[in-house]
Amino acid sequence: MYKFRDLKRVRAPSEGTRPIEAVCFNGHWLDDEIEAFETLNVEGRNDFKRSINAQELSEDGSIYLSSRIPAKQLKINFYWKTQNIEAYNAELKKLKSILYQPEVEIKFLDEKDFYHIGTVEEFALEDPTLTTKGTITINCSNPYKFSDVKEIESFDNQFTVNDNDLIYPNKPKKITIIPNADGSNVEIDNLTNGKKLMATLAFSKSPKIVFDFDNLDFSVDNVSHLIDLDLASNFDDFLIKNGDQIKINTAGTCQLEYEVKQL
């Protein structure tokens, strides 16, 4: 199949000719880069399980104690077609080199705004023939899919998280405050769920005050002040979701960076 772009003949499929569930593995669209490969369908994208911890009763039933969502498994079914053994070996070599990397971003054509993080658990062809079918089994240790990073910027002391995709509570990636006056303490309140971030330290006008949730750090002007973070702070479980009211005791600019996560 050929497509013409800028009067040059191109063998790789365009976005419009990719299968609807075409997979992008660590930045590589497999249907584009592997000539022998064609995505058929993907299993497990919308599945989830819940492991329940319960105490059996002497009478009927049990008492629910806790639960957790274990890793998710994705299974990519594909069609494989080559013309000769040389192409067969070359295409397999290239595909396996792409799939080798663990814990990478995985996107699908029909949902490019979200990605999974996964590692190939198994790659298999049904038959050792030039034309066959195969499967790629991917283990997603984190069962959620994530959006690209989003930002909320506010110049007020109180603002609302307004994102209809943020239906599951999630921890922000970073909160940055640039105060417009000197101060002696910082407090961020999620008025909806009662979670707080608090730190007592003197700061001058215009430094960057950063709560970095990815790296578990609190800094002022790029200098770590984690020791000044109040022990009563909810640094480990400061979660946000759509509709939450966030209040900051320091006047200035606030930037909240987060990812949407969904099952």
Side-chain angles (χ1 to χ4, degrees):
M1 184 179 297
Y2 294 94
K3 288 290 180 182
F4 291 88
R5 303 173 191 151
D6 299 329
L7 302 182
K8 294 180 181 179
R9 194 166 63 177
V10 180
R11 291 187 62 89
S14 69
E15 182 169 325
T17 63
R18 292 173 186 157
I20 190 63
E21 285 193 298
V23 59
C24 181
F25 189 91
N26 197 25
H28 300 273
W29 288 100
L30 300 185
D31 289 87
D32 289 7
E33 296 190 26
I34 308 299
E35 191 172 348
F37 187 98
E38 182 183 350
T39 303
L40 296 176
N41 68 294
V42 183
E43 301 175 35
R45 286 175 61 186
N46 294 306
D47 300 343
F48 80 92
K49 299 178 181 178
R50 188 180 290 276
S51 300
I52 297 175
N53 178 24
Q55 176 66 50
E56 294 288 335
L57 298 175
S58 56
E59 54 191 46
D60 295 339
S62 57
I63 297 175
Y64 172 89
L65 299 176
S66 62
S67 65
R68 58 181 292 274
I69 299 175
K72 176 179 286 190
Q73 190 176 82
L74 304 176
K75 188 175 182 180
I76 300 167
N77 299 306
F78 64 89
Y79 182 65
W80 183 264
K81 183 178 180 180
T82 51
Q83 300 299 323
N84 52 59
I85 190 61
E86 290 78 16
Y88 177 90
N89 289 333
E91 293 286 277
L92 271 182
K93 180 180 179 181
K94 184 176 181 181
L95 178 58
K96 287 189 288 186
S97 70
I98 293 173
L99 300 180
Y100 173 76
Q101 295 298 326
E103 291 298 281
V104 300
E105 288 190 12
I106 298 157
K107 290 185 177 183
F108 298 98
L109 183 61
D110 61 348
E111 198 175 34
K112 291 193 294 183
D113 292 338
F114 285 87
Y115 66 89
H116 300 265
I117 296 292
T119 301
V120 173
E121 199 170 81
E122 182 180 4
F123 169 78
L125 295 174
E126 286 185 3
D127 299 298
T129 55
L130 298 181
T131 300
T132 184
K133 292 180 180 179
T135 58
I136 301 170
T137 304
I138 299 172
N139 180 279
C140 299
S141 52
N142 189 322
Y144 293 93
K145 60 186 178 185
F146 296 89
S147 73
D148 292 332
V149 176
K150 299 185 178 186
E151 294 181 359
I152 298 173
E153 189 171 35
S154 175
F155 302 95
D156 299 321
N157 288 75
Q158 188 169 323
F159 62 91
T160 302
V161 176
N162 186 16
D163 188 334
N164 290 328
D165 287 332
L166 198 60
I167 54 180
Y168 299 90
N170 194 24
K171 194 185 300 183
K173 294 182 72 65
K174 188 182 292 185
I175 298 177
T176 303
I177 301 170
I178 302 178
N180 57 19
D182 297 350
S184 58
N185 65 82
V186 181
E187 184 171 321
I188 302 175
D189 263 318
N190 186 327
L191 301 177
T192 306
N193 61 25
K195 302 298 183 181
K196 295 184 178 183
L197 299 169
M198 299 170 288
T200 302
L201 77 165
F203 57 85
S204 58
K205 176 182 176 181
S206 297
K208 265 190 181 180
I209 301 172
V210 179
F211 293 87
D212 186 342
F213 296 88
D214 282 350
N215 298 303
L216 296 177
D217 196 17
F218 168 68
S219 64
V220 179
D221 254 358
N222 298 315
V223 177
S224 179
H225 284 266
L226 194 59
I227 194 171
D228 295 313
L229 195 67
D230 194 307
L231 293 177
S233 291
N234 300 106
F235 201 38
D236 194 48
D237 61 347
F238 188 86
L239 305 178
I240 61 170
K241 62 179 178 59
N242 186 42
D244 281 2
Q245 297 282 327
I246 308 296
K247 184 178 180 180
I248 302 169
N249 74 330
T250 303
T253 303
C254 175
Q255 185 182 73
L256 189 154
E257 300 175 34
Y258 67 97
E259 291 175 320
V260 170
K261 74 173 186 179
Q262 293 183 2
L263 284 171

